[in-house]
Amino acid sequence: MNNGDLFSDIKFLKGVGPKMAEKLNLLGIYTKYDLLMYPPFRYIDRKLMLDENFTDGGYYTVLGKVIDFGEFYTKRGKYIFQSVVETSAKNYLFLTWFNNRFIKKSINKGDIALFSGKINIKRGSYEMLHPDFEIFQDDFMELINTGKIVPVYHTKNGITQKYLRKIIFSLIKSIDGIEEDLPDYLIKQKNFLSLKESITNLHFPENEDKNRLGLKRLKYSELFYTGLIVARRKIENSSKYVEKNYVEKSSLVENFLSSLDFSLTDDQKRSIEEIIKDMKETKPMNRLLMGDVGVGKTVVATVAILVAIDSGYQSALMAPTEILAQQHYIKIKESVEKLGVRVELLTSSISDKKEKYSRIKEGKIDLVVGTHSLIRDEVVFKNLKLVIVDEQHRFGVIHRSTLKEKGKDVDYLVMTATPIPRSLYLALYGDMDLSMIRQRPSIQKVVKTKWVSSTGLKKMYDFIKKRILDGEKTFIVCPAIEGEDEADYDSVKKVYDNLSKTYLKGYRLGMIHSKLNYREQEKILKDLRDGLIDVLIGTTIVEVGLDIKDATIMVILSAERFGLSQLHQLRGRVGRGERQSFCFVVSSEDITEEAINRLKVFSRYNDGFKISEYDLKFRGPGELWGKKQSGIPIFKFANFFEDMILMKEAFFDAEKILKNDMNLLKNEDKVIKINLERKSNEKVD
Ligand code: ADP
Ligand code: MG
């Protein structure tokens, strides 16, 4: 099999087909290659144990022959299937399954098989509950699920461990070799296992050592390619020489700052200085403005915009959602229009776009605020010089904004509301300079967070009612069900109906969810701002960027279903003004240990750095679908906390190679070029 085939659609793999392929897609598996690279998150040692020194509660894998079986019901009507096995060391072992009618079909008298499970010793006899087993069909049968170290994967949607193991096992068997994704000289120099050996030992390790070595190589590869992307941007950017014509002193900025009814924090002032200094350099600015939700990044961005406009350039500000774009638009317009700045909004649901396009093209608009629609071909600028992307907490390592390409040597500023540890910052934004806002505006008070049990609900709603009398506003967030608009709507509607009949009867409630179009959403938010609504019940649509100063209470229902960073974003919607704000997390009774830990950390810490650090720690490698929830993509194999040293090494190597061979034209680097292109085209979401 050649590598080309490995990148064909997973549905063509034997034993998969279109239906299973769809389910595998949900695990991020689109090709055979993705399947090979799907990491187990743990292993079970099911190597055969011939001596059978059974102790109570120990985990064993034994070879045995089925000598009898039977089925019966307990008094309460529970179905039990039991079988007796004689093991190779002549022990008798009772195997028991509850409520599993399929087992009967798969076991026969005389079958010889490997059985894995925990042994219970009861009055001198041995019992295994729900063992995993694999029957020898013939002498040459290959064991997949037992008899060796066996992988355990994260799965969902009814994809079983056995199924995954089987397709991965036979895929590995069927390929002779896999083209290396690193050049030979690196593999030799680092003493790496071959790619095929690494992958084999990732799934079905010969032993722990081989597994570790293979994993190291896989980690190195993904870090190396990330390092390459980062290094290339860095080199390209620093080698540019650009003539710019920014004004020395901007009166627009002065007027704007003196119109504010607060004074800037030191961190805001320093960030502004750093940005303005960059803009005046003879290379394009490439800077990240990092600061927790609510620290006041928008003011800083506005200053940069005004410097550009005062110098005769156009600026663009792009936000991840319509609501957020709309809000930036309203807010910035409010403060700069009176200074003579021409601002326009451009999102997909805006009408008379044509007319706006032509004004943008003629340079009659100074600042365009919008969503992804800004990237469309029809949008042409006269002299775009500053692009600001408000990523909030959505990251893209590989895909950077193409909006930059609409201007010549554009200055680029990214805002992010997820403070992240240094190692992660280097991996995601290593090519960018960093401005950090840590200090909160002093008028803001720390949001008080409380974890409410179901018996505390009445007290909580009574508290909310008191606050409503004081003119304060409350958000109530219900868990969104990923990708299902209907279900979102259902959960919001249910809570709304319920509350309007019970705890919040007679109060003015509003609803917001993804089934409303953005005009309807905007209307609701306006009603909330104007004081026509006291309590807004919605999905995580309220998550990003909303800035409503007298909203002081955030209630998060079924909080166990949210990721840490997402909870923190939601909390950031309150506490933006002078009043004391509160965040209540309400969880179901029966939640996992993991969820308990998460909610504990959330209730204890208010610092975004701490939150994102824990978020990364809680989710080990391989938990890829946590990405959407938390916004922080993680590597498949590498871990930001454990693999710092390897990351430095890989980044160093990548930069060194590029410095000698910027366009990867050397023969020995061809494999890097091919793989880099492949990885740059990979699906990100
Ligand atoms: P974020 O960093 O989340 O984008 P914003 O820029 O939206 O934060 O600011 C949050 C709120 O704090 C806004 O209402 C803003 O007007 C206000 N704010 C910003 N800077 C200050 C400051 N130095 N002092 C007081 N309030 C401020
Ligand atoms: Mg903001």
Side-chain angles (χ1 to χ4, degrees):
M1 182 179 291
N2 63 28
N3 259 28
D5 189 26
L6 280 182
F7 292 98
S8 62
D9 196 316
I10 187 72
K11 71 179 177 209
F12 299 121
L13 180 64
K14 204 170 149 246
V16 178
K19 241 174 125 177
M20 278 318 273
E22 253 173 54
K23 293 187 175 180
L24 288 168
N25 289 170
L26 295 174
L27 298 179
I29 300 170
Y30 298 90
T31 63
K32 294 176 188 174
Y33 192 79
D34 292 339
L35 184 64
L36 290 174
M37 292 292 186
Y38 192 70
F41 73 98
R42 68 183 182 99
Y43 302 89
I44 314 174
D45 188 349
R46 288 185 181 157
K47 290 203 287 289
L48 182 59
M49 298 166 196
L50 284 171
D51 51 0
E52 298 183 9
N53 288 322
F54 294 147
T55 53
D56 192 34
Y59 192 95
Y60 295 89
T61 295
V62 298
L63 178 67
K65 182 174 176 179
V66 177
I67 55 175
D68 201 2
F69 59 74
E71 49 190 331
F72 52 93
Y73 290 87
T74 63
K75 270 186 226 134
R76 291 193 167 172
K78 223 183 195 176
Y79 174 82
I80 295 184
F81 182 82
Q82 210 165 38
S83 160
V84 186
V85 162
E86 186 184 344
T87 70
S88 54
K90 302 288 175 214
N91 283 312
Y92 288 99
L93 190 60
F94 290 87
L95 313 177
T96 307
W97 284 269
F98 295 104
N99 288 331
N100 187 337
R101 290 163 191 279
F102 297 106
I103 293 293
K104 192 177 157 188
K105 295 200 184 87
S106 44
I107 283 193
N108 283 304
K109 260 186 222 178
D111 279 349
I112 293 181
L114 283 188
F115 300 93
S116 301
K118 223 158 84 178
I119 295 262
N120 292 323
I121 306 184
K122 261 201 227 155
R123 285 184 233 106
S125 67
Y126 302 122
E127 186 187 40
M128 246 186 208
L129 282 184
H130 293 251
D132 263 294
F133 64 94
E134 200 146 314
I135 296 168
F136 288 87
Q137 311 285 356
D138 57 55
D139 290 351
F140 301 106
M141 151 111 178
E142 295 238 41
L143 295 169
I144 299 179
N145 290 295
T146 182
K148 54 174 63 165
I149 300 173
V150 178
V152 183
Y153 304 94
H154 284 294
T155 108
K156 54 179 179 179
N157 302 311
I159 299 178
T160 62
Q161 296 293 337
K162 279 193 173 177
Y163 177 77
L164 270 178
R165 283 180 202 138
K166 192 170 147 214
I167 56 175
I168 291 175
F169 188 84
S170 45
L171 177 57
I172 293 176
K173 281 274 144 190
S174 72
I175 45 185
D176 320 319
I178 301 173
E179 238 170 72
E180 295 296 342
D181 62 355
L182 291 172
D184 283 340
Y185 64 90
L186 266 184
I187 296 173
K188 285 215 187 75
Q189 183 193 323
K190 312 237 163 224
N191 259 326
F192 282 147
L193 300 184
S194 73
L195 185 54
K196 164 129 193 210
E197 226 185 334
S198 303
I199 288 175
T200 309
N201 280 286
L202 171 71
H203 297 285
F204 298 97
E206 262 172 66
N207 54 45
E208 271 178 34
D209 261 2
K210 278 276 178 77
N211 177 255
R212 198 174 37 78
L213 285 175
L215 197 57
K216 184 170 173 193
R217 189 234 148 99
L218 296 169
K219 285 178 178 181
Y220 179 90
S221 269
E222 66 181 350
L223 292 167
F224 176 80
Y225 282 99
T226 309
L228 215 53
I229 292 170
V230 168
R232 190 163 64 178
R233 287 202 196 115
K234 210 156 99 183
I235 295 170
E236 271 171 6
N237 206 49
S238 65
S239 60
K240 263 189 191 150
Y241 177 84
V242 184
E243 296 273 358
K244 300 181 195 171
N245 281 307
Y246 284 112
V247 288
E248 234 358 273
K249 216 168 166 55
S250 162
S251 53
L252 269 182
V253 171
E254 276 169 22
N255 292 341
F256 168 69
L257 290 178
S258 59
S259 76
L260 293 177
D261 54 10
F262 50 77
S263 49
L264 299 177
T265 62
D266 288 344
D267 280 358
Q268 283 173 320
K269 283 186 201 152
R270 193 181 22 80
S271 301
I272 288 173
E273 274 167 25
E274 287 165 351
I275 289 168
I276 292 183
K277 184 162 174 287
D278 273 5
M279 290 168 81
K280 293 183 178 159
E281 296 266 342
T282 52
K283 60 174 195 180
M285 168 166 74
N286 194 27
R287 187 168 280 276
L288 179 68
L289 179 60
M290 187 188 285
D292 209 345
V293 280
V295 296
K297 296 182 292 295
T298 314
V299 180
V300 173
T302 308
V303 170
I305 290 167
L306 292 176
V307 171
I309 293 172
D310 219 358
S311 312
Y313 295 120
Q314 287 174 299
S315 307
L317 169 60
M318 186 162 78
T321 64
E322 287 212 44
I323 284 284
L324 198 53
Q326 166 96 8
Q327 185 181 279
H328 274 316
Y329 170 71
I330 292 176
K331 226 176 145 184
I332 294 177
K333 187 168 142 168
E334 200 179 83
S335 54
V336 302
E337 208 167 43
K338 54 186 181 231
L339 308 174
V341 173
R342 296 160 298 179
V343 191
E344 263 310 341
L345 177 67
L346 205 57
T347 62
S348 54
S349 51
I350 288 264
S351 50
D352 51 296
K353 280 203 267 277
K354 275 224 177 77
E355 189 257 351
K356 283 185 186 172
Y357 292 151
S358 59
R359 280 193 295 138
I360 295 172
K361 196 171 168 185
E362 288 159 23
K364 289 182 180 156
I365 294 175
D366 305 310
L367 167 66
V368 188
V369 180
T371 52
H372 249 80
S373 342
L374 291 179
I375 288 176
R376 298 174 61 136
D377 285 343
E378 295 92 319
V379 185
V380 179
F381 288 85
K382 184 164 182 235
N383 58 355
L384 179 66
K385 195 70 183 168
L386 175 67
V387 166
I388 300 181
V389 177
D390 187 356
E391 280 193 343
Q392 290 292 323
H393 62 302
R394 283 149 223 243
F395 288 106
V397 192
I398 294 173
H399 295 254
R400 278 285 162 77
S401 172
T402 45
L403 184 54
K404 263 167 55 166
E405 277 135 41
K406 294 195 182 278
K408 196 168 167 297
D409 301 322
V410 159
D411 285 321
Y412 188 50
L413 181 70
V414 176
M415 297 196 276
T416 172
T418 307
I420 47 177
R422 190 173 158 72
S423 56
L424 181 53
Y425 157 72
L426 282 176
L428 296 180
Y429 298 105
D431 60 319
M432 305 189 88
D433 299 303
L434 178 64
S435 289
M436 177 107 81
I437 308 185
R438 291 208 75 146
Q439 212 177 3
R440 289 197 166 273
S442 55
I443 58 152
Q444 294 179 1
K445 296 194 178 67
V446 174
V447 179
K448 290 191 176 153
T449 303
K450 212 172 155 50
W451 188 356
V452 181
S453 69
S454 55
T455 52
L457 282 179
K458 179 166 184 313
K459 209 170 138 198
M460 178 183 83
Y461 285 114
D462 284 345
F463 180 84
I464 291 174
K465 287 192 258 190
K466 266 204 219 105
R467 295 267 152 177
I468 293 175
L469 288 180
D470 289 339
E472 298 179 18
K473 282 141 197 171
T474 298
F475 292 112
I476 298 180
V477 174
C478 317
I481 296 163
E482 250 173 58
E484 288 183 41
D485 288 1
E486 269 326 313
D488 277 8
Y489 171 72
D490 279 350
S491 65
V492 172
K493 181 94 170 56
K494 225 161 75 194
V495 171
Y496 177 93
D497 287 345
N498 190 355
L499 286 177
S500 56
K501 283 186 212 126
T502 58
Y503 295 116
L504 296 178
K505 196 170 164 184
Y507 288 84
R508 296 171 305 175
L509 313 183
M511 259 198 288
I512 190 163
H513 47 79
S514 49
K515 282 218 120 178
L516 300 178
N517 68 34
Y518 112 98
R519 274 180 207 289
E520 294 165 321
Q521 292 177 2
E522 192 40 42
K523 165 91 170 54
I524 302 271
L525 290 177
K526 188 167 179 305
D527 287 351
L528 187 71
R529 268 192 207 104
D530 295 348
L532 301 175
I533 291 176
D534 304 314
V535 178
L536 184 61
I537 301 162
T539 54
T540 48
I541 214 165
V542 304
E543 179 179 15
V544 282
L546 285 190
D547 188 44
I548 295 178
K549 280 217 169 76
D550 47 8
T552 56
I553 300 177
M554 168 62 70
V555 178
I556 306 171
L557 301 177
S558 304
E560 73 276 7
R561 298 190 30 196
F562 295 99
L564 251 188
S565 296
Q566 198 172 19
L567 289 168
H568 187 63
Q569 283 292 328
L570 287 168
R571 176 165 56 192
R573 294 310 115 222
V574 295
R576 303 174 78 83
E578 285 174 49
R579 301 194 204 190
Q580 178 62 53
S581 291
F582 301 85
C583 177
F584 298 115
V585 289
V586 181
S587 69
S588 314
E589 296 290 294
D590 189 20
I591 62 177
T592 62
E593 189 79 14
E594 197 200 327
I596 292 174
N597 284 335
R598 204 169 341 126
L599 293 180
K600 268 190 194 153
V601 166
F602 178 65
S603 317
R604 185 170 322 148
Y605 297 108
N606 226 311
D607 174 14
F609 274 97
K610 269 268 176 291
I611 295 283
S612 64
E613 202 175 308
Y614 272 102
D615 194 20
L616 286 162
K617 274 188 185 154
F618 282 160
R619 295 173 308 119
E623 282 180 69
L624 290 169
W625 53 85
K627 195 163 87 172
K628 201 160 180 189
Q629 273 265 309
S630 76
I632 303 178
I634 46 180
F635 289 129
K636 259 188 201 179
F637 304 109
N639 175 298
F640 289 109
F641 294 95
E642 291 159 15
D643 301 316
M644 257 303 253
I645 293 174
L646 189 67
M647 183 170 122
K648 281 197 183 133
E649 184 184 326
F651 272 48
F652 179 83
D653 295 340
E655 191 164 340
K656 195 169 134 199
I657 289 172
L658 270 194
K659 277 191 174 148
N660 289 319
D661 186 11
M662 183 61 186
N663 295 314
L664 300 168
L665 297 174
K666 286 189 192 161
N667 210 18
E668 65 207 43
D669 292 334
K670 219 164 103 188
V671 47
I672 304 181
K673 196 177 162 83
I674 294 170
N675 277 284
L676 182 62
E677 272 160 22
R678 193 173 282 148
K679 283 173 208 288
S680 309
N681 288 327
E682 240 167 46
K683 288 201 189 206
V684 175
D685 259 320

